[in-house]
Amino acid sequence: DLRPPTLDALGLAPAIRRLAEQFEGFTSVPCRVAVFGEPARLPPKVEIAVFRLLQESLHNVSVHAAATTVEVALAFAPHTLKLTVIDDGRGFDMAGIYQNSNGHLGLIGMRERAESLGGRVTIQSQLTQGTRVELLVPITQV
């Protein structure tokens, strides 16, 4: 993965805020960002993966969700990082996705990206109830 320039220039938390602003400008869907804990520079592989996972999540919201709001939370803890993306859109049938993964490469890619970091991604969605994507990854400080 090429490293997004905003990560180098600003760090993960500001880069995520900027991505949310760009999403909001492009879609007109309000996208609130909350950062918890003390933001810190992380290994480049982790920062890139978190940034890309948020990109994919926001892309899915813009294409599929018909959401009216999106909330992004980034939580720094001593040994873990958690990214949560919640939309109030139309949601989808999770069982159907797992039965027929054709055409859902973005969701598969999210899972693979998380696993490559020793982390996990969970996706909760229900028709008419929106979607929650949560990435939990172990971290070591640089």
Side-chain angles (χ1 to χ4, degrees):
D1 288 331
L2 295 175
R3 188 168 170 84
T6 54
L7 285 175
D8 284 332
L10 304 173
L12 184 59
I16 283 180
R17 287 185 196 283
R18 180 168 287 174
L19 184 59
E21 289 170 4
Q22 291 169 342
F23 168 83
E24 192 169 318
F26 178 73
T27 64
S28 298
V29 175
C31 185
R32 292 179 295 236
V33 176
V35 177
F36 302 96
E38 188 62 39
R41 293 312 301 248
L42 304 172
K45 182 178 179 179
V46 173
E47 290 187 345
I48 291 168
V50 172
F51 187 85
R52 296 290 186 218
L53 193 130
L54 178 59
Q55 277 183 317
E56 182 65 30
S57 294
L58 292 178
H59 172 77
N60 288 343
V61 171
S62 70
V63 172
H64 303 292
T68 60
T69 61
V70 179
E71 295 180 18
V72 176
L74 184 63
F76 290 86
H79 302 289
T80 58
L81 178 76
K82 183 163 70 169
L83 173 72
T84 307
V85 183
I86 302 170
D87 73 67
D88 66 351
R90 65 176 60 132
F92 56 92
D93 175 23
M94 290 296 297
I97 295 295
Y98 289 126
Q99 289 174 355
N100 180 15
S101 62
N102 292 339
H104 304 288
L105 297 177
L107 297 178
I108 293 167
M110 292 168 124
R111 201 164 302 249
E112 289 174 353
R113 192 178 298 272
E115 290 171 0
S116 77
L117 300 172
R120 71 177 190 276
V121 67
T122 55
I123 302 168
Q124 299 170 326
S125 190
Q126 236 179 328
L127 290 173
T128 72
Q129 301 297 311
T131 301
R132 177 188 184 102
V133 176
E134 188 171 277
L135 169 68
L136 186 63
V137 64
I139 57 170
T140 56
Q141 302 300 324
V142 176

